[in-house]
Amino acid sequence: MASGPETESDTTKEMKRRIAAARMDRTRRAPLINECLRLSMPHRRRIDETQERTISEEDVSDMLDGTMAETVEDFASDMMAKFTPPSEPWTLLQPSVALPLPAQKQIKEQLKTTVEWFWEDLGQSSFYDAAYECYHDLSAGIMAICRKDYGGAQPVAWEPIQPAALLLDQGPNCSIDGRWYDYTIEKRLWGATYGKIKLPAKYATAKPDCKLKVVDGIHRVWEQQGFSQYRRVVTVDGVIVWEKLLKGEGSVSLHAARWRSDSGSAYGVGPAWKACPAQRVLNEITALTLAQLHKIVDPSVVFSSDGTANIEESGVDAGDWVDLGEGFKAEAMESKGRFDVSFFVQEDMRSQVRRALYQDGPEQKGKTPPTREQWVDERMASEQRFEVPRGKLFREWTIPIVKSHMHLRMEHGLMPPIELDGRQILLAPVSGQAKARAFEKVAKGERVMQSIVTLMPAKADVLIDGAATVDNMKRLLDDDVVVLRDDAQQQELAQLVQAAVAEAMKGMQAAT
């Protein structure tokens, strides 16, 4: 067991204080997060509920309209494709030191081999399954994932952490400092999860199905601010059973990310809360519509009894037939106020839900189809709304996860090393914002070319250098799939085409 500069009793006292503060912060955010989960994912455990919570019929019976649930599903798929797509690298891996161009050429093949191995190894892990679940939680504002180490012989395991089991406290600059996994585990699973870490003495004779209240997490150590140091702590029933001082950002095994931060809390604010009012209205409209349809399809019957009819033995339920009595006059009790529900248009409510979760996209409004420029403008405006959370998710999610996976595989001795003149070159991930800016530049270039073709169609071929433009686009998008022929190959191909055309002309002349 490694320890910091404090004694164990001081560390225990400080841990209890920080965890208590994190619980209070989580409780303050609970109504907002729980409402998002209730309306979109009723199966998810709510904050301040027990881990053994059972889904009741009431939890699902209120879901009379599935717009928000479906939109959150699309939101999670969209976030996966934008930030951690399984089909391609999410970020560039470059040497961590600035190397001159000749040195970069020397390690080019080594770099390619190492990078390909890394993304393949990450793909073999359980990260993508866990991340997809996490992105659903991101709609409510916060998501978290934990890296598990079962040795180099096994793929790296990633476990999603629900908001209800996550404890956070705030660090400098509104960043996430401490992050802990607060959960319950059976004693029989302790060895598989924590290896040889010993439990408190009182559990020595406990039964295998005994429940252990565990808080497992990591927080930054600020004694030496120039270095990234963290303390990993595991507690059982509030007692520290293991701790270790870790160095380097890659040593962090628990990662949390927010959609939008709030200076008053470590917990984030997600886009789903803006969809909650519209979804509640949709549920209410559907409930009222079904109630009215029930009255229309199966109305009550009124009758005057002569004393001989036996309604109960006819299989009629109470309230279906109403005895008015002799000479009774029935009148409906109606409100004198005006009730106009025209502003509750269901499709408008659904559009509000989709827009809140960035799933609206360009739409054809009215009978006139939009122009290409209008379509591009709306698409660009939708993409610009992502700019605020994009940088935060790169800093708190994609970059730390790549560093964490890389760090663990280097500890296992599995990641192929990159060597130059007898020294090892380490890789570092680069923010994906550069990739986003590259796509934006290409989109702007396409708009300029389209404008030239529209305004000056006769001069477009003269004004635009097609080969140089395509080359710029390939460089910005870091494309190595499309291969462009060089000048010599282009000239050779042009000569072959001319020769084939001339031969065809001769054949046509001979035939005539």
PDB file of all heavy atoms in Angstrom, residues 53 71 73 109 134 213 254 262 308 338 340 344 420 486:
ATOM      1  N   ARG A  53     -33.157  -1.677  -6.946  1.00  0.00           N
ATOM      2  CA  ARG A  53     -34.450  -1.121  -7.329  1.00  0.00           C
ATOM      3  C   ARG A  53     -35.151  -2.006  -8.362  1.00  0.00           C
ATOM      4  O   ARG A  53     -34.547  -2.495  -9.317  1.00  0.00           O
ATOM      5  CB  ARG A  53     -34.243   0.275  -7.925  1.00  0.00           C
ATOM      6  CG  ARG A  53     -35.478   0.863  -8.596  1.00  0.00           C
ATOM      7  CD  ARG A  53     -35.137   2.204  -9.209  1.00  0.00           C
ATOM      8  NE  ARG A  53     -36.302   2.777  -9.867  1.00  0.00           N
ATOM      9  CZ  ARG A  53     -36.564   2.632 -11.154  1.00  0.00           C
ATOM     10  NH1 ARG A  53     -35.766   1.934 -11.911  1.00  0.00           N
ATOM     11  NH2 ARG A  53     -37.630   3.192 -11.693  1.00  0.00           N
ATOM     12  N   THR A  71     -35.619   9.438 -29.392  1.00  0.00           N
ATOM     13  CA  THR A  71     -34.673  10.492 -29.724  1.00  0.00           C
ATOM     14  C   THR A  71     -33.382  10.347 -28.930  1.00  0.00           C
ATOM     15  O   THR A  71     -32.292  10.600 -29.452  1.00  0.00           O
ATOM     16  CB  THR A  71     -35.303  11.868 -29.464  1.00  0.00           C
ATOM     17  OG1 THR A  71     -36.562  11.948 -30.142  1.00  0.00           O
ATOM     18  CG2 THR A  71     -34.407  12.982 -29.976  1.00  0.00           C
ATOM     19  N   GLU A  73     -32.152   7.549 -27.990  1.00  0.00           N
ATOM     20  CA  GLU A  73     -31.462   6.444 -28.660  1.00  0.00           C
ATOM     21  C   GLU A  73     -30.674   6.957 -29.871  1.00  0.00           C
ATOM     22  O   GLU A  73     -29.504   6.598 -30.076  1.00  0.00           O
ATOM     23  CB  GLU A  73     -32.491   5.403 -29.105  1.00  0.00           C
ATOM     24  CG  GLU A  73     -31.904   4.065 -29.487  1.00  0.00           C
ATOM     25  CD  GLU A  73     -31.648   3.175 -28.290  1.00  0.00           C
ATOM     26  OE1 GLU A  73     -32.159   3.462 -27.206  1.00  0.00           O
ATOM     27  OE2 GLU A  73     -30.922   2.187 -28.469  1.00  0.00           O
ATOM     28  N   GLU A 109       6.973   3.895 -40.651  1.00  0.00           N
ATOM     29  CA  GLU A 109       6.435   2.537 -40.675  1.00  0.00           C
ATOM     30  C   GLU A 109       6.172   2.030 -39.262  1.00  0.00           C
ATOM     31  O   GLU A 109       5.159   1.361 -39.008  1.00  0.00           O
ATOM     32  CB  GLU A 109       7.389   1.599 -41.418  1.00  0.00           C
ATOM     33  CG  GLU A 109       7.447   1.845 -42.913  1.00  0.00           C
ATOM     34  CD  GLU A 109       6.079   1.705 -43.575  1.00  0.00           C
ATOM     35  OE1 GLU A 109       5.325   0.785 -43.188  1.00  0.00           O
ATOM     36  OE2 GLU A 109       5.766   2.516 -44.462  1.00  0.00           O
ATOM     37  N   CYS A 134     -23.086   4.702 -22.061  1.00  0.00           N
ATOM     38  CA  CYS A 134     -22.717   5.986 -21.451  1.00  0.00           C
ATOM     39  C   CYS A 134     -23.330   7.160 -22.200  1.00  0.00           C
ATOM     40  O   CYS A 134     -23.774   8.139 -21.588  1.00  0.00           O
ATOM     41  CB  CYS A 134     -21.201   6.129 -21.421  1.00  0.00           C
ATOM     42  SG  CYS A 134     -20.363   4.988 -20.300  1.00  0.00           S
ATOM     43  N   LYS A 213     -20.587  -2.417   0.942  1.00  0.00           N
ATOM     44  CA  LYS A 213     -20.758  -1.065   0.425  1.00  0.00           C
ATOM     45  C   LYS A 213     -19.385  -0.498   0.082  1.00  0.00           C
ATOM     46  O   LYS A 213     -18.591  -0.198   0.969  1.00  0.00           O
ATOM     47  CB  LYS A 213     -21.473  -0.187   1.453  1.00  0.00           C
ATOM     48  CG  LYS A 213     -22.905  -0.620   1.726  1.00  0.00           C
ATOM     49  CD  LYS A 213     -23.581   0.318   2.720  1.00  0.00           C
ATOM     50  CE  LYS A 213     -25.025  -0.105   2.956  1.00  0.00           C
ATOM     51  NZ  LYS A 213     -25.705   0.787   3.942  1.00  0.00           N
ATOM     52  N   LEU A 254     -10.847   5.860 -14.065  1.00  0.00           N
ATOM     53  CA  LEU A 254     -12.267   6.223 -14.035  1.00  0.00           C
ATOM     54  C   LEU A 254     -12.427   7.593 -14.681  1.00  0.00           C
ATOM     55  O   LEU A 254     -11.818   8.564 -14.235  1.00  0.00           O
ATOM     56  CB  LEU A 254     -12.782   6.246 -12.595  1.00  0.00           C
ATOM     57  CG  LEU A 254     -14.302   6.131 -12.390  1.00  0.00           C
ATOM     58  CD1 LEU A 254     -14.607   5.719 -10.962  1.00  0.00           C
ATOM     59  CD2 LEU A 254     -15.020   7.431 -12.695  1.00  0.00           C
ATOM     60  N   ASP A 262     -21.335  23.457 -15.105  1.00  0.00           N
ATOM     61  CA  ASP A 262     -21.974  24.498 -14.317  1.00  0.00           C
ATOM     62  C   ASP A 262     -21.037  24.811 -13.165  1.00  0.00           C
ATOM     63  O   ASP A 262     -20.634  23.910 -12.424  1.00  0.00           O
ATOM     64  CB  ASP A 262     -23.337  24.016 -13.810  1.00  0.00           C
ATOM     65  CG  ASP A 262     -24.060  25.070 -12.985  1.00  0.00           C
ATOM     66  OD1 ASP A 262     -23.560  26.204 -12.933  1.00  0.00           O
ATOM     67  OD2 ASP A 262     -25.108  24.755 -12.396  1.00  0.00           O
ATOM     68  N   THR A 308     -87.854  -4.783 -13.577  1.00  0.00           N
ATOM     69  CA  THR A 308     -87.756  -6.178 -14.010  1.00  0.00           C
ATOM     70  C   THR A 308     -86.406  -6.527 -14.623  1.00  0.00           C
ATOM     71  O   THR A 308     -86.054  -7.699 -14.721  1.00  0.00           O
ATOM     72  CB  THR A 308     -88.855  -6.481 -15.040  1.00  0.00           C
ATOM     73  OG1 THR A 308     -88.677  -5.637 -16.186  1.00  0.00           O
ATOM     74  CG2 THR A 308     -90.249  -6.251 -14.433  1.00  0.00           C
ATOM     75  N   ARG A 338     -63.516  28.580 -21.999  1.00  0.00           N
ATOM     76  CA  ARG A 338     -63.109  28.132 -23.329  1.00  0.00           C
ATOM     77  C   ARG A 338     -61.791  27.352 -23.219  1.00  0.00           C
ATOM     78  O   ARG A 338     -60.845  27.805 -22.584  1.00  0.00           O
ATOM     79  CB  ARG A 338     -62.927  29.332 -24.252  1.00  0.00           C
ATOM     80  CG  ARG A 338     -62.503  28.944 -25.667  1.00  0.00           C
ATOM     81  CD  ARG A 338     -62.256  30.179 -26.528  1.00  0.00           C
ATOM     82  NE  ARG A 338     -61.765  29.811 -27.841  1.00  0.00           N
ATOM     83  CZ  ARG A 338     -61.343  30.698 -28.747  1.00  0.00           C
ATOM     84  NH1 ARG A 338     -61.385  31.986 -28.456  1.00  0.00           N
ATOM     85  NH2 ARG A 338     -60.915  30.281 -29.921  1.00  0.00           N
ATOM     86  N   ASP A 340     -58.994  25.766 -25.615  1.00  0.00           N
ATOM     87  CA  ASP A 340     -58.487  25.678 -26.988  1.00  0.00           C
ATOM     88  C   ASP A 340     -57.146  24.951 -26.950  1.00  0.00           C
ATOM     89  O   ASP A 340     -56.175  25.445 -26.368  1.00  0.00           O
ATOM     90  CB  ASP A 340     -58.308  27.084 -27.575  1.00  0.00           C
ATOM     91  CG  ASP A 340     -57.919  27.036 -29.050  1.00  0.00           C
ATOM     92  OD1 ASP A 340     -57.807  25.916 -29.585  1.00  0.00           O
ATOM     93  OD2 ASP A 340     -57.727  28.107 -29.646  1.00  0.00           O
ATOM     94  N   PHE A 344     -51.395  22.879 -28.786  1.00  0.00           N
ATOM     95  CA  PHE A 344     -50.764  21.613 -28.433  1.00  0.00           C
ATOM     96  C   PHE A 344     -50.735  20.705 -29.664  1.00  0.00           C
ATOM     97  O   PHE A 344     -51.437  19.702 -29.716  1.00  0.00           O
ATOM     98  CB  PHE A 344     -51.514  20.937 -27.298  1.00  0.00           C
ATOM     99  CG  PHE A 344     -51.233  21.527 -25.941  1.00  0.00           C
ATOM    100  CD1 PHE A 344     -52.242  21.707 -25.027  1.00  0.00           C
ATOM    101  CD2 PHE A 344     -49.945  21.897 -25.596  1.00  0.00           C
ATOM    102  CE1 PHE A 344     -51.983  22.237 -23.773  1.00  0.00           C
ATOM    103  CE2 PHE A 344     -49.673  22.435 -24.343  1.00  0.00           C
ATOM    104  CZ  PHE A 344     -50.689  22.607 -23.433  1.00  0.00           C
ATOM    105  N   LEU A 420      13.867   5.273 -31.954  1.00  0.00           N
ATOM    106  CA  LEU A 420      14.646   6.125 -32.849  1.00  0.00           C
ATOM    107  C   LEU A 420      15.998   6.381 -32.209  1.00  0.00           C
ATOM    108  O   LEU A 420      16.082   6.957 -31.109  1.00  0.00           O
ATOM    109  CB  LEU A 420      13.921   7.453 -33.097  1.00  0.00           C
ATOM    110  CG  LEU A 420      14.657   8.480 -33.979  1.00  0.00           C
ATOM    111  CD1 LEU A 420      14.829   7.932 -35.395  1.00  0.00           C
ATOM    112  CD2 LEU A 420      13.894   9.797 -34.009  1.00  0.00           C
ATOM    113  N   ASP A 486       0.054  11.157 -60.486  1.00  0.00           N
ATOM    114  CA  ASP A 486       0.932  12.311 -60.639  1.00  0.00           C
ATOM    115  C   ASP A 486       0.876  12.813 -62.081  1.00  0.00           C
ATOM    116  O   ASP A 486       0.162  12.246 -62.925  1.00  0.00           O
ATOM    117  CB  ASP A 486       2.368  11.965 -60.234  1.00  0.00           C
ATOM    118  CG  ASP A 486       2.916  10.767 -61.015  1.00  0.00           C
ATOM    119  OD1 ASP A 486       2.470  10.543 -62.159  1.00  0.00           O
ATOM    120  OD2 ASP A 486       3.796  10.070 -60.476  1.00  0.00           O
TER     121      ASP A 486
END
